[in-house]
Amino acid sequence: MKTILITGANGYLASYIYLLNKDKFHWIRMTRKDADLSDPESVKKFVESQDFDICFHTAANATTAVCEENPELAQKINVESTKAIVDVCKEKNAKLIFCSTEQVFNGKENHGPFSEEEQPKSVTVYGKNKIECENYILNTLDDAVILRYSWMMGLSFPGIKASPNLVANVMNAILRQTPTLFTVNEKRCLTYARHLAEQFALICELPGGIYHVASQNDHSTYESARFIAETIGASADEIESYIVPNYDRYADRFRDYRLNADKLSQYGIVFGTVEEDVLQILTDFNWRKK
C-alpha cells in the first residue's frame, strides 16, 4: 500500500479525498500544526522527515483579496513552500500531485474552454503564484501531475467543511431571503468535489503532465444560479427577488476561463456537466425538488 503525504489535510478537497480513499492508501495528514506554510524552512524540515511515495499538495492561500493585500506572504505560502516540497520530492524520488487552478487563465482575453496546451496568463497575485509553481514543477520533476481545478462545489457534512461555492450561495440567498448578486459577464466550470474524490486512485496513476479537472458548462454564473434555485424548488417570485443579476461586474471584459477536461477522459477519469453535478449534490443532500 502506497503512502501519501497530503498537505492542507483539513481543507475541503483534502478531507473529502481522504474520506473516500482512506483504506486505499496509508496517509500522512499534514496540517498547520505540523508546519506553517508561511515558513518554507519548517515545511521543508517536516516533509523531509516523512517517508512517502506520493505528495498530494493541496495547501495554499487561495483567497484573492488576501493575496492581493499581502503579496509577500502569498509568495511564501503559495510559491516558496511549494518549491521546498518539490525539492524534497525530487530528493526522495516521490511523485508530486499539485493542485493548481483555473485562475491561471484569468488574464486571458480570448474565451475558454481552455485546453492544457493553452498558455496561461493571470492578472492576480494568486494566479501568478500558481503559474510560477507550475513552471518550477515542470522544470524540476519528470513525473509530477498538475491538476488545474475549476470552481469546486458541494455542501458540508460531518467531518467535511465545504468551501464557499455557488450551490451554497444560492441556497443561502433563497433560505435567508437575502437578495444576492450573481455575475452575468462570467462563465466558469463548476464541479462536484465528490467526483474528484471518487476518482482519486486513478489520478494517482496518471503519467506526469498538466490535467484539467472540470465539468462542462455553457451558462453564465447567473444562469447557473437560477438553475440551482429552480432545482431546490424556489418559486419564480423568490428567484426574481433573491437571485439578482450583476451586470456591472466584468462589464468591461467578459470573463471566461472554463477548462476543457478531455485529456483526463482519455485515462478513464470523467466529469459530466454542471447541471448533472448540481442535481447530484442536491440529491445527495436531499434538497432536490421531487
Side-chain angles (χ1 to χ4, degrees):
M1 183 179 292
K2 291 184 178 180
T3 297
I4 298 180
L5 169 66
I6 184 170
T7 69
N10 291 331
Y12 178 42
L13 286 179
S15 54
Y16 209 148
I17 286 169
Y18 169 73
L19 178 68
L20 296 193
N21 295 274
K22 60 184 177 181
D23 296 327
K24 299 177 183 178
F25 304 94
H26 174 66
W27 295 85
I28 302 170
R29 305 182 70 208
M30 175 180 163
T31 69
R32 192 174 299 172
K33 293 180 180 179
D34 299 304
D36 191 325
L37 266 71
S38 65
D39 182 357
E41 189 59 35
S42 72
V43 170
K44 182 178 180 180
K45 288 180 180 178
F46 179 81
V47 176
E48 280 181 330
S49 71
Q50 306 300 312
D51 293 322
F52 55 92
D53 304 294
I54 299 170
C55 176
F56 182 38
H57 184 28
T58 78
N61 189 324
T63 305
T64 300
V66 172
C67 292
E68 294 295 323
E69 293 169 5
N70 304 277
E72 292 182 1
L73 179 61
Q75 182 75 13
K76 286 184 178 180
I77 293 172
N78 294 334
V79 180
E80 292 179 24
S81 284
T82 294
K83 289 182 177 180
I85 290 171
V86 171
D87 292 344
V88 175
C89 286
K90 185 175 180 64
E91 293 170 7
K92 291 179 176 288
N93 196 30
K95 184 169 186 174
L96 175 69
I97 302 176
F98 175 70
C99 296
S100 191
T101 172
E102 62 183 4
Q103 299 297 326
V104 300
F105 294 117
N106 65 26
K108 302 290 284 188
E109 295 182 1
N110 55 314
H111 289 195
F114 296 115
S115 72
E116 288 83 353
E117 287 70 36
E118 182 80 22
Q119 187 68 27
K121 179 183 178 182
S122 179
V123 293
T124 60
V125 169
Y126 176 62
K128 291 175 182 177
N129 286 166
K130 289 296 187 179
I131 292 173
E132 185 174 351
C133 289
E134 287 187 9
N135 290 334
Y136 188 79
I137 291 167
L138 293 172
N139 289 328
T140 307
L141 302 174
D142 294 328
D143 66 342
V145 169
I146 296 172
L147 302 176
R148 288 178 180 155
Y149 297 128
S150 56
W151 194 4
M152 304 305 267
M153 300 187 295
L155 298 175
S156 299
F157 58 98
I160 308 292
K161 182 179 180 181
S163 302
N165 64 87
L166 192 63
V167 171
N169 293 346
V170 171
M171 293 178 72
N172 285 333
I174 297 297
L175 296 175
R176 296 176 182 176
Q177 299 184 345
T178 303
T180 304
L181 290 169
F182 295 91
T183 306
V184 172
N185 300 307
E186 172 187 74
K187 287 185 179 180
R188 300 173 65 180
C189 291
L190 306 156
T191 308
Y192 188 9
R194 169 182 160 181
H195 298 321
L196 172 64
E198 289 174 331
Q199 300 180 93
F200 181 72
L202 290 175
I203 287 171
C204 289
E205 301 300 322
L206 287 170
I210 299 173
Y211 300 89
H212 288 172
V213 177
S215 292
Q216 300 172 31
N217 182 32
D218 293 324
H219 303 293
S220 71
T221 298
Y222 169 68
E223 291 168 337
S224 296
R226 288 185 62 97
F227 173 75
I228 294 166
E230 292 166 359
T231 307
I232 65 174
S235 68
D237 287 343
E238 288 174 323
I239 293 172
E240 292 302 315
S241 297
Y242 307 126
I243 308 301
V244 182
N246 185 343
Y247 292 102
D248 294 331
R249 194 180 188 199
Y250 309 125
D252 57 331
R253 180 169 63 88
F254 191 96
R255 188 169 77 158
D256 180 355
Y257 41 81
R258 291 171 295 162
L259 303 177
N260 181 318
D262 288 349
K263 184 177 177 180
L264 271 182
S265 67
Q266 298 172 18
Y267 297 92
I269 301 171
V270 180
F271 298 90
T273 66
V274 170
E275 290 85 355
E276 291 169 344
D277 281 14
V278 167
L279 292 173
Q280 188 65 60
I281 292 169
L282 299 179
T283 298
D284 287 349
F285 290 88
N286 297 314
W287 278 101
R288 185 175 175 182
K289 182 181 178 182
K290 303 298 182 184

